[in-house]
Amino acid sequence: MEHPREEPRLPAPRGPLSGGVVERLRGDGPLPPYDGIAAAPVYGDDLQLALYLCYELHYRGFADAAADLEWDPELLGFRAALEERFLDALRADARRHHGVEEAFAGILVEPVDGTGVSHFLRDEGELWQIREYAAQRSLYHLKEADPHAWVLPRLWGRAKAAMAAVEFDEYGGGRADRVHARLFAGLMADLGLDTAYGRYLDAACAEQLVTVNLMSLFGLHRSLRGALVGHFATVEITSSPGSRRLAEAMRRTGAGPAAEHFYDEHVEADAVHEQVVRHEVVAGLLEEEPWLEADVAFGVDATVFTEDLLGGRLLADWGAGRSSLRTPLSREFTHIS
């Protein structure tokens, strides 16, 4: 069943930073002191949820937060301090390639013995883990193309034309029923999950927030347009083989036809998108602005780093037999054809 279009409710805080932002968005109090930003774990629940809340004001917002808070000067200042901490950590922790081809080399070739999440789910994942994965990734897939769309007014020529063409596909090629976010909602429905936008924000782990915050960080800053293109290229390059494995996982576990279709669609579409992004978007951008090459490479490296953080968390939890979600789903679900 489709939900009427409505904004999600504010989530429960995960510490003083996110608690202060929640109170501010509800109109109940001031923002927390800035010195708490330096003390909080940079990839941890509290800082990442605080940043996610600030970013979400630029997407669908929250039913219990005023829409004009999107441009509140104090919130923007607090967000900037959170972003500075996040960006500094990414620049320090992600592998640093200075050239685009060097950065791409590590993701263009599939390892012979892959050990990532898609390999695990294909080979031995259980239906409860498939459902958890979908709930976690819904924070990304229900807004799949939106952060990348912000780069369009910041490009021109070949890069803009090619980026618009790929985004057009992501948005269903003009057909509402083929918008990729809607296809993912169909996958969620097959798995007995609530398809409401933002429904699993409270349950998602910090590492999932990191991956979504990375896109918003790059997308909302013109100065990081090169990094956003690098992120987009990484997603498209790695999507097709990963989606093939996930489609096999959906079939093996009997997840349902819409679940299979979502990943089958990405196997074909993203194989084409990869070529367009590499040879037109990236090449077109660097033809116009060659000084952005290091930024594009950083976008690739940061994307690989944050996805590895999430993958490590999921596999560690599942390997120990525990849920990766803060609020576990029932494991009793059985798909009914």
Side-chain angles (χ1 to χ4, degrees):
M1 183 179 75
E2 283 204 18
H3 290 265
R5 188 195 182 284
E6 59 183 16
E7 289 76 22
R9 309 292 297 183
L10 285 163
R14 303 187 188 182
L17 298 177
S18 54
V21 174
V22 167
E23 288 184 6
R24 175 72 175 194
L25 294 180
R26 286 182 174 147
D28 294 336
L31 288 165
Y34 278 44
D35 56 8
I37 295 174
V42 67
Y43 306 121
D45 282 295
D46 191 28
L47 188 147
Q48 290 297 322
L49 179 59
L51 188 54
Y52 187 98
L53 294 171
C54 292
Y55 283 149
E56 192 58 35
L57 298 174
H58 300 287
Y59 293 100
R60 293 273 292 273
F62 298 97
D64 38 353
D68 59 5
L69 286 171
E70 179 182 8
W71 300 111
D72 178 79
E74 292 186 10
L75 268 172
L76 290 174
F78 192 72
R79 192 192 90 188
L82 294 168
E83 288 177 320
E84 182 179 12
R85 179 87 196 287
F86 186 33
L87 188 56
D88 285 349
L90 290 168
R91 292 195 185 282
D93 295 339
R95 184 176 179 181
R96 294 301 303 274
H97 294 104
H98 297 289
V100 167
E101 292 307 315
E102 182 188 8
F104 282 163
I107 59 175
L108 281 169
V109 179
E110 282 276 288
V112 175
D113 298 313
T115 57
V117 171
S118 64
H119 294 85
F120 172 83
L121 292 176
R122 179 196 63 188
D123 296 338
E124 56 185 295
E126 299 177 27
L127 193 57
W128 70 269
Q129 293 160 332
I130 295 280
R131 297 179 72 230
E132 283 202 359
Y133 182 72
Q136 296 270 19
R137 297 298 276 181
S138 68
L139 271 64
Y140 162 61
H141 281 302
L142 292 181
K143 62 161 62 83
E144 181 169 342
D146 296 344
H148 298 130
W150 276 317
V151 83
L152 282 168
R154 298 161 182 172
L155 302 174
W156 59 91
R158 286 170 58 201
K160 181 190 282 281
M163 187 74 188
V166 176
E167 285 285 271
F168 183 64
D169 283 351
E170 298 287 342
Y171 288 121
R175 290 180 51 182
D177 61 315
R178 297 186 65 179
V179 172
H180 284 191
R182 178 166 290 189
L183 296 181
F184 192 79
L187 173 149
M188 295 177 72
D190 264 2
L191 292 169
L193 299 173
D194 192 329
T195 63
Y197 181 90
R199 166 64 178 79
Y200 294 101
L201 175 55
D202 266 322
C205 65
E207 292 82 358
Q208 178 59 54
L209 301 182
V210 169
T211 65
V212 181
N213 285 340
L214 182 74
M215 296 190 300
S216 299
L217 170 68
F218 290 165
L220 284 166
H221 292 272
R222 189 177 66 85
S223 62
L224 294 172
R225 63 193 179 279
L228 185 65
V229 167
H231 180 282
F232 190 58
T234 307
V235 169
E236 298 301 331
I237 289 170
T238 58
S239 176
S240 185
S243 293
R244 181 176 291 106
R245 289 187 289 271
L246 289 168
E248 293 174 15
M250 298 300 145
R251 277 186 275 275
R252 183 179 61 78
T253 57
E260 294 174 20
H261 176 66
F262 177 81
Y263 287 112
D264 284 336
E265 170 75 12
H266 281 70
V267 171
E268 296 185 16
D270 291 344
V272 175
H273 291 172
E274 175 204 333
Q275 297 299 313
V276 176
V277 173
R278 286 177 57 209
H279 299 298
E280 296 299 324
V281 179
V282 174
L285 173 67
L286 296 183
E287 182 178 71
E288 297 282 356
E289 301 181 276
W291 53 87
L292 292 180
E293 181 165 7
D295 287 351
V296 176
F298 170 61
V300 175
D301 293 336
T303 306
V304 171
F305 172 74
T306 56
E307 288 294 330
D308 285 348
L309 274 182
L310 175 60
R313 168 64 184 271
L314 298 180
L315 293 175
D317 284 340
W318 293 340
R322 61 178 177 260
S323 173
S324 67
L325 294 167
R326 291 166 54 83
T327 306
L329 303 169
S330 169
R331 298 192 186 185
E332 301 305 313
F333 171 78
T334 300
H335 175 73
I336 301 175
S337 300

